[in-house]
């Protein structure tokens, strides 16, 4: 099969890594890709949101399957454009991708489907939002309604923090048009997990769960990021909780989306809070998480390619997935300045030695090649150092052993990934 992966981050590197191992694969492209992906696939200089160019390339090259990595091309209609061209695409239509494109839409779907979630309200007026915050008190959660690259959520411990979030999101527009409206939610107590299910429009197949570390600082301090690390499986997410999440959250959502004429096909990423009343939905994403995808791909023992095809073809009811029992852990190495303005152009050395640490797999995210061939930072989250081990502690030790070999003075990472479980 001829496959095109769309995107150029650590998630897409992990997807390419898994797909490259499939005996069904005959040709692999990635648009735009990165230097790490270039070792597995032919990189194509087309941006992830250049829908017409992506579909045009897929037609010319007779691509059998397009695999969408990030959310932006999906909300812009990549799957719709592929379908119009007669090309299979793993990922939801633009109508179904609203589950990530609008947090208010997700809440409306959850309420209609009877999915347990936090109490919420949507606001377009900053004054009304502030009044609601004063009425509800803190802690409270403020979210930009639109896409904000994983950074549009503020968990405010005080009313003042929540009011500052309204100022940043709605008035200063730090997340652009994503902040034209906000969703304000009650702050749910409990432990947060990322749970993934493959969906074909009618059937949902549970994948695995992970726990990520959103805040930039150790001990979960500082501003939210796209993710500073993850591990899988989270011990708190038992098989019983997985089954409950499928029955009360995933399947009812799938049924409600089909009822609305927007059946969901792709991977449904449920951000869950494990509360005393069971799992509750925080939000949906319509693609694999980053860095959770890296943690999952290291544990996946089934061939990824036929699983994605089964989702496209409505055949998941006849499919199953096998997972490695041993855990995986992922450490994100980011450029100085992240999650603000990252410092680009700093040289990275030592990756060959880091990759030789037993159990370690390196995934590139924000990297580039300089004219002289040197590898340099070209983004915020730059590298993902992933590892497996007999135990979570062993996986963590291997990952940090590889991190310590990387020679990159311009980068940093959290040193406490996995602390909740350990």
């Amino acid at each position: 099969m001829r496959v095109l992966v769309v995107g150029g981050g650590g998630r897409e590197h992990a997807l390419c890594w898994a797909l490259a191992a499939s005996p069904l694969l005959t040709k692999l492209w990635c648009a735009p890709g990165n230097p790490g992906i270039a070792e597995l696939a032919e990189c194509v200089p087309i941006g992830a949101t250049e829908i017409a160019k992506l579909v045009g390339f897929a037609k010319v090259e007779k691509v059998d399957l397009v695999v969408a990595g990030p959310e932006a091309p999906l909300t812009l209609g990549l799957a719709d454009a592929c379908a119009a061209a007669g090309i299979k695409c793993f990922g939801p239509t633009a109508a179904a991708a609203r589950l990530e494109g609008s947090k208010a839409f997700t809440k409306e779907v959850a309420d209609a489907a009877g999915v347990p979630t936090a109490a919420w309200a949507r606001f377009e007026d900053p004054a009304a939002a502030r009044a609601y915050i004063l009425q509800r008190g803190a802690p409270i959660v403020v979210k930009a309604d639109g896409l904000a690259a994983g950074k549009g959520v503020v968990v405010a411990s005080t009313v003042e923090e929540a009011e500052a979030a309204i100022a940043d999101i709605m008035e200063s527009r730090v997340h652009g048009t994503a902040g034209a409206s906000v969703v304000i939610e009650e702050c749910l107590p409990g432990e947060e997990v990322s749970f993934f299910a493959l969906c074909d429009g009618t059937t949902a197949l549970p994948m695995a769960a992970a726990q990520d570390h959103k805040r930039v600082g150790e001990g979960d301090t500082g501003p939210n990021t796209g993710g500073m690390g993850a591990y899988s499986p989270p011990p708190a997410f038992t098989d019983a909780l997985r089954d409950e999440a499928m029955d009360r959250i995933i399947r009812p959502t799938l049924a409600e989306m089909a009822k609305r004429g927007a059946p969901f096909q792709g991977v449904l990423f449920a951000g869950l809070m494990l509360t005393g009343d069971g799992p509750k939905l925080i939000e949906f994403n319509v693609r694999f998480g980053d860095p959770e995808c890296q943690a999952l791909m290291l544990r996946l023992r089934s061939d990824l390619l036929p699983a994605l095809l089964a989702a496209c073809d409505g055949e998941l009811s006849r499919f199953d997935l096998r997972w490695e029992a041993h855990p995986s852990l992922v450490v994100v190495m980011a450029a100085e300045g992240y999650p603000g303005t990252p410092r680009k152009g700093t040289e990275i050395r030592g990756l060959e030695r880091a990759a030789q640490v037993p159990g370690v797999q390196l995934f590139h995210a924000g990297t580039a090649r300089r004219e002289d061939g040197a590898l340099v930072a070209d983004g915020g989250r730059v590298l993902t150092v992933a590892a497996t081990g007999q135990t979570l502690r062993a996986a963590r030790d291997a990952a940090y052993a590889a991190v310590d070999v990387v020679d990159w003075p311009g980068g940093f990472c959290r040193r406490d990934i996995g602390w909740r479980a350990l």
Side-chain angles (χ1 to χ4, degrees):
M1 289 198 67
R2 298 162 71 81
V3 178
L4 169 65
V5 175
V6 176
R11 163 184 48 220
E12 290 75 37
H13 191 174
L15 290 172
C16 286
W17 177 77
L19 290 168
S22 174
L24 299 178
L25 185 77
T26 55
K27 177 67 177 181
L28 183 62
W29 294 273
C30 188
N34 65 43
I37 293 174
E39 298 176 7
L40 299 166
E42 181 180 335
C43 291
V44 183
I46 303 174
T49 58
E50 295 182 283
I51 306 300
K53 290 183 179 180
L54 290 169
V55 175
F57 175 86
K59 289 171 67 176
V60 169
E61 296 294 342
K62 296 181 171 55
V63 168
D64 298 301
L65 176 67
V66 174
V67 179
E71 64 276 11
L74 293 168
T75 60
L76 292 172
L78 175 62
D80 308 77
C82 285
I87 301 167
K88 292 180 182 181
C89 178
F90 178 77
T93 62
R98 288 188 68 200
L99 283 173
E100 181 165 1
S102 169
K103 293 177 177 62
F105 176 75
T106 287
K107 287 292 193 177
E108 292 168 2
V109 169
D111 287 349
V115 169
T117 187
W120 67 285
R122 177 179 178 271
F123 298 93
E124 295 180 353
D125 175 46
R130 288 190 176 94
Y132 182 79
I133 289 167
L134 288 172
Q135 175 193 348
R136 299 285 298 192
I140 199 164
V141 182
V142 180
K143 299 179 176 180
D145 186 27
L147 295 178
K151 302 175 188 176
V153 178
V154 176
V155 181
S157 57
T158 66
V159 167
E160 290 74 21
E161 286 181 20
E163 290 179 323
I166 295 298
D168 287 342
I169 295 172
M170 302 189 77
E171 295 169 339
S172 298
R173 294 292 179 92
V174 295
H175 304 300
T177 56
S181 61
V182 296
V183 169
I184 302 178
E185 298 179 355
E186 69 171 317
C187 188
L188 294 174
E191 196 161 340
E192 187 174 348
V193 299
S194 303
F195 177 50
F196 300 84
L198 284 182
C199 304
D200 65 9
T202 56
T203 300
L205 178 68
M207 294 192 75
Q211 192 161 53
D212 78 335
H213 298 63
K214 282 290 187 189
R215 294 184 181 264
V216 71
E218 293 175 15
D220 290 335
T221 58
N224 273 344
T225 70
M228 294 300 294
Y231 60 94
S232 176
F237 195 64
T238 62
D239 289 350
L241 288 175
R242 176 202 62 203
D243 294 344
E244 185 176 355
M246 290 295 295
D247 290 340
R248 299 185 64 200
I249 297 173
I250 301 297
R251 292 191 181 102
T253 299
L254 216 58
E256 177 64 23
M257 292 300 290
K259 180 180 175 182
R260 291 171 179 243
F264 186 91
Q265 172 267 311
V267 61
L268 190 57
F269 165 4
L272 305 177
M273 188 66 78
L274 307 184
T275 74
D277 298 322
K280 292 188 177 184
L281 178 69
I282 301 172
E283 64 182 13
F284 280 128
N285 294 316
V286 300
R287 36 72 190 179
F288 285 105
D290 187 348
E292 294 101 327
C293 182
Q294 293 90 306
L296 264 59
M297 290 303 105
L298 257 65
R299 295 187 56 229
L300 182 62
R301 289 294 169 260
S302 297
D303 188 338
L304 179 63
L305 184 48
L308 303 188
L309 283 172
C312 293
D313 295 338
E315 297 180 351
L316 282 179
S317 61
R318 297 183 292 171
F319 209 83
D320 200 7
L321 293 172
R322 293 177 295 108
W323 297 91
E324 174 61 64
H326 297 151
S328 60
L329 184 139
V330 174
V331 178
V332 170
M333 300 189 72
E336 289 179 349
Y338 181 78
T341 303
R343 183 184 171 200
K344 297 185 179 183
T346 55
E347 188 171 348
I348 305 165
R349 304 182 184 89
L351 295 192
E352 295 80 6
R353 287 186 296 131
Q356 293 172 5
V357 175
V360 165
Q361 180 67 41
L362 300 181
F363 297 113
H364 290 230
T367 62
R369 287 286 179 192
R370 214 164 51 195
E371 288 186 5
D372 62 3
L375 188 71
V376 297
D378 192 41
R381 294 184 297 165
V382 175
L383 293 169
T384 303
V385 181
T388 56
Q390 293 285 330
T391 65
L392 186 60
R393 191 175 298 276
R396 181 200 63 178
D397 291 347
Y400 281 115
V403 166
D404 290 339
V405 173
V406 176
D407 180 9
W408 182 30
F412 74 97
C413 69
R414 281 182 57 167
R415 306 292 305 196
D416 64 345
I417 302 303
W419 70 269
R420 286 185 184 275
L422 293 171

